[in-house]
Amino acid sequence: MSNVLIYVEAENNSAKKTSLEAVSYGATVAQMLGGKAIALATAALAADKTEELAKYGADKVLHAAQNPSQSEEIAQLIVAAAHQENVTVILAAKSIVVDLALPMVGAKLQASVATNITELPELSNGFVVRRSAYSGKAITKVELSGKIKVLSIKKNASELREYHKPLLLEPFSVEITPSKISVKEVKKQTGEVLLSEADIVVSAGRGLKGPENWGMIEELAKVLGAATACSKPVSDMNWRPHHEHVGQTGIKISPNLYIAIGISGAIQHLAGVNASKVIVVINKDPEAPFFKAADYGIVGDAFEVVPKLTQALKAVL
Amino acid sequence: MKILVCISHVPDTNAKIPFKNGQPDLSGISFVIAPYDDFALARAVELRDQTKGKLTVLNVGLSDTEPTIRKALAIGADEAIRVHATPHDAFYVASQIAAIASRENYDMILMGRESSDFNGGQVHGMVAAMLGLPCVVPCMKLDLYGRVAVMHRETEGGKEVVEVEMPFIAGCQEPIAEWKIPNMRGIMSAKTKPLKVVEPIDVPKYTHIVQYEMPPQRGTVKMIDKDNVAELVRLLRQEAKVI
């Protein structure tokens, strides 16, 4: 039996959208392997929201009594569930906490681990996944030969597919040794779209001339229901917080639509955004290298084009 | 205070990677300390100076990585260990690090949040699981108060202040410290600092790169006049179907 375990992260009592994508992905892999898709959720997911996991493909939902927050605690939960359910594939949507938990799971289970997976695996010749290397400058096909495979899935790795399976909910409990890390303070932007979850990202660079000019970027993002991001120089100069910085040394994103405003498109910036489905570049310099990596481009001054674009979108959205 | 910094030897991030016979051709490319590891090293040098401790750098690689290791010594590490092996994958490298660390009892093990070649971001978590140590990633600030470290950890949409007692592992990123450029004295002294070469332990291999591909190319960019943004909106809705 080749069961697939999907670890689900929740926010505000509901499963994160990227986690639902992971459930769909896991259900498809389970189908390919002839096994079951088992979702593992913590107490952070409200009981009345577990049905969503069945809708997107979970044959069974393990609903843990605990709500672990540290990666090493989550790893213990995943390992216990993996043993109980006899799984051969363990996966989760990429996030900061998951990115650390999964390698821990991999080390404990002597598993094959592959992170940042962008597509379904190929099973014709072993278990083969594709992932980018050299910060997007190459793609590698990697065979996972371990008995257990552990995968982190990037946003948009597969379609969010509705399976509408009946909900089979099972309580799950395990002794978790608490982490030695103690959290003293949490600073979190609230009420904004999370960058890693966003379908649309509006990003701006030095072309904006100063942090006081971000109002029009935020307005454009609001009309689109988008998250805001920035280039490295902008976060280096403290115009915007570091967690908004996308690029080689920042967050790597793969939204449906990435709009880059006043960003020239250095190779290190492209490394963080070239997995986006569609890229729009607005820059007053017609020679900006970013145009070569874009789908749509406008040569023009951000201060002129962005308000017009916001107005044009308001008219139709 | 014993500090271990693990460094990867990676192609310069500014380099374009050419392909030859279906493989990336790295022959003409200069190699560097992976950028995130460089941040970890910079902070480790400061903490070593502050605590008058000892800073060891560790690399898993063949002899071609020695210039990169010497650079870390020039930046300020006191000694280096090279595990003489091809760094096959994260599990292989983590197993080598754990084997050495379990003998040496380092107070902290620092490295970058991920390497810039395979971008796996797995090694710190694996070493932590192998040694049963707490692990903070991505660590953006690290200060010591006796045996307690206070760190800033990035979260989705924000950050946390966390505390942990030694020993611990951290996967570092900016702005934990400014990259350090070796000075002439550092470069000279690096030549005589100890660089120990050790044989690897046997580790099973669970992942295998079977093929490289060029990344998919985007089609030609469609340019839209700046006075016709409505056309961009139309294309995004009807052609790209993303809004």
Side-chain angles (χ1 to χ4, degrees):
Chain A
M1 194 64 144
S2 281
N3 290 335
V4 176
L5 181 72
I6 307 110
Y7 174 71
V8 174
E9 281 192 305
E11 183 129 323
N12 304 325
N13 301 320
S14 299
K16 284 165 96 174
K17 190 177 168 220
T18 44
S19 280
L20 294 176
E21 286 179 15
V23 170
S24 273
Y25 181 104
T28 309
V29 174
Q31 220 167 39
M32 292 161 81
L33 294 168
K36 299 259 184 246
I38 297 148
L40 169 63
T42 68
L45 182 71
D48 61 346
K49 301 280 185 186
T50 50
E51 199 149 356
E52 256 196 329
L53 305 179
K55 177 180 167 190
Y56 290 106
D59 295 293
K60 180 159 88 172
V61 177
L62 297 179
H63 198 199
Q66 298 93 336
N67 183 14
S69 61
Q70 301 300 309
S71 299
E72 57 191 285
E73 298 163 351
I74 293 163
Q76 294 174 50
L77 188 71
I78 294 174
V79 167
H83 282 312
Q84 178 186 303
E85 300 295 331
N86 204 10
V87 304
T88 55
V89 178
I90 299 168
L91 62 91
K94 183 180 170 56
S95 76
I96 289 176
V97 170
V98 160
D99 282 351
L100 181 57
L102 291 185
M104 292 174 166
V105 170
K108 287 181 191 205
L109 297 177
Q110 300 262 309
S112 299
V113 185
T115 53
N116 307 331
I117 302 304
T118 53
E119 283 169 36
L120 286 165
E122 287 171 21
L123 303 179
S124 53
N125 197 0
F127 192 106
V128 176
V129 292
R130 294 170 94 245
R131 59 184 305 277
S132 91
Y134 302 113
S135 304
K137 294 172 200 167
I139 306 278
T140 53
K141 283 175 90 166
V142 186
E143 192 201 342
L144 307 181
S145 59
K147 211 194 275 174
I148 297 175
K149 292 101 169 97
V150 177
L151 313 176
S152 79
I153 306 297
K154 269 183 103 161
K155 185 172 170 59
N156 279 330
S158 81
E159 296 286 312
L160 190 55
R161 222 169 114 188
E162 294 187 12
Y163 284 80
H164 294 289
K165 292 179 180 170
L167 175 66
L168 177 59
L169 188 63
E170 214 175 81
F172 183 68
S173 189
V174 53
E175 265 316 301
I176 295 177
T177 310
S179 168
K180 291 177 193 135
I181 297 166
S182 57
V183 177
K184 295 292 169 191
E185 199 183 328
V186 178
K187 292 174 189 161
K188 198 174 165 117
Q189 238 91 33
T190 49
E192 285 176 29
V193 184
L194 275 180
L195 190 48
S196 53
E197 293 279 299
D199 289 321
I200 303 177
V201 174
V202 177
S203 184
R206 252 184 309 198
L208 268 280
K209 297 195 169 79
E212 66 279 8
N213 296 324
W214 245 259
M216 65 178 187
I217 300 299
E218 278 160 358
E219 204 183 336
L220 173 59
K222 202 172 151 199
V223 173
L224 287 165
T228 53
C230 69
S231 65
K232 178 167 158 50
V234 164
S235 95
D236 284 351
M237 291 182 290
N238 278 322
W239 292 3
R240 301 295 292 176
H242 186 274
H243 66 256
E244 280 198 6
H245 154 209
V246 291
Q248 173 136 5
T249 54
I251 299 168
K252 296 176 187 71
I253 53 171
S254 50
N256 294 334
L257 173 60
Y258 181 70
I259 303 179
I261 299 158
I263 301 175
S264 64
I267 197 163
Q268 290 90 345
H269 184 77
L270 297 182
V273 303
N274 55 13
S276 308
K277 266 193 195 159
V278 173
I279 294 180
V280 173
V281 169
I282 299 169
N283 203 299
K284 67 177 180 191
D285 175 11
E287 302 299 323
F290 215 153
F291 284 117
K292 289 202 177 73
D295 299 286
Y296 302 104
I298 293 182
V299 177
D301 187 51
F303 294 92
E304 190 189 323
V305 177
V306 173
K308 274 196 211 164
L309 180 58
T310 306
Q311 284 312 314
L313 285 163
K314 270 187 186 160
V316 294
L317 294 180
Chain B
M1 174 83 54
K2 284 177 74 179
I3 307 171
L4 180 70
V5 173
C6 306
I7 58 168
S8 293
H9 163 86
V10 302
D12 186 345
T13 55
N14 279 308
K16 289 214 163 85
I17 310 264
F19 268 64
K20 204 163 111 187
N21 307 324
Q23 297 273 336
D25 177 15
L26 305 176
S27 57
I29 288 173
S30 61
F31 277 72
V32 296
I33 302 171
Y36 287 121
D37 298 340
D38 223 354
F39 284 121
L41 177 63
R43 186 61 187 142
V45 168
E46 294 166 0
L47 293 173
R48 186 273 322 271
D49 290 347
Q50 187 188 314
T51 59
K52 302 190 173 34
K54 186 174 181 186
L55 169 55
T56 307
V57 288
L58 171 62
N59 168 260
V60 179
L62 299 176
S63 56
D64 61 317
T65 70
E66 289 200 0
T68 301
I69 298 173
R70 289 282 174 207
K71 190 180 169 202
L73 292 169
I75 286 170
D78 299 300
E79 58 169 31
I81 302 169
R82 179 170 69 82
V83 178
H84 185 68
T86 302
H88 177 81
D89 64 10
F91 184 74
Y92 186 89
V93 171
S95 301
Q96 305 302 336
I97 295 169
I100 289 169
S102 62
R103 290 195 298 269
E104 294 291 334
N105 297 316
Y106 298 104
D107 296 294
M108 68 180 102
I109 302 175
L110 307 184
M111 62 189 87
R113 69 176 289 186
E114 67 181 46
S115 67
S116 55
D117 48 4
F118 293 101
N119 313 100
Q122 301 177 23
V123 173
H124 33 61
M126 287 181 166
V127 176
M130 289 166 184
L131 297 175
L133 293 179
C135 185
V136 174
V137 187
C139 172
M140 306 168 72
K141 189 171 193 284
L142 166 53
D143 292 311
L144 297 179
Y145 299 90
R147 298 285 298 165
V148 175
V150 176
M151 294 182 251
H152 286 188
R153 175 168 65 183
E154 190 156 62
T155 60
E156 317 275 335
K159 70 176 176 196
E160 294 171 338
V161 180
V162 303
E163 250 181 46
V164 66
E165 219 173 298
M166 291 179 199
F168 64 88
I169 298 176
C172 304
Q173 73 173 29
E174 63 196 337
I176 191 164
E178 299 266 343
W179 282 332
K180 296 196 189 313
I181 297 157
N183 57 27
M184 193 43 80
R185 217 179 102 217
I187 294 167
M188 294 313 287
S189 66
K191 290 179 182 167
T192 54
K193 285 179 179 173
L195 194 171
K196 193 164 81 181
V197 179
V198 301
E199 288 304 313
I201 57 163
D202 275 338
V203 175
K205 290 170 181 162
Y206 297 120
T207 75
H208 314 270
I209 294 178
V210 288
Q211 199 184 323
Y212 283 92
E213 291 170 2
M214 301 269 280
Q217 298 295 312
R218 274 175 207 278
T220 325
V221 58
K222 224 176 237 184
M223 298 305 292
I224 296 132
D225 190 89
K226 69 176 164 64
D227 295 318
N228 193 10
V229 292
E231 174 63 3
L232 175 63
V233 174
R234 189 191 69 77
L235 287 167
L236 290 175
R237 299 188 85 194
Q238 292 172 14
E239 189 178 74
K241 297 191 170 70
V242 286
I243 57 173

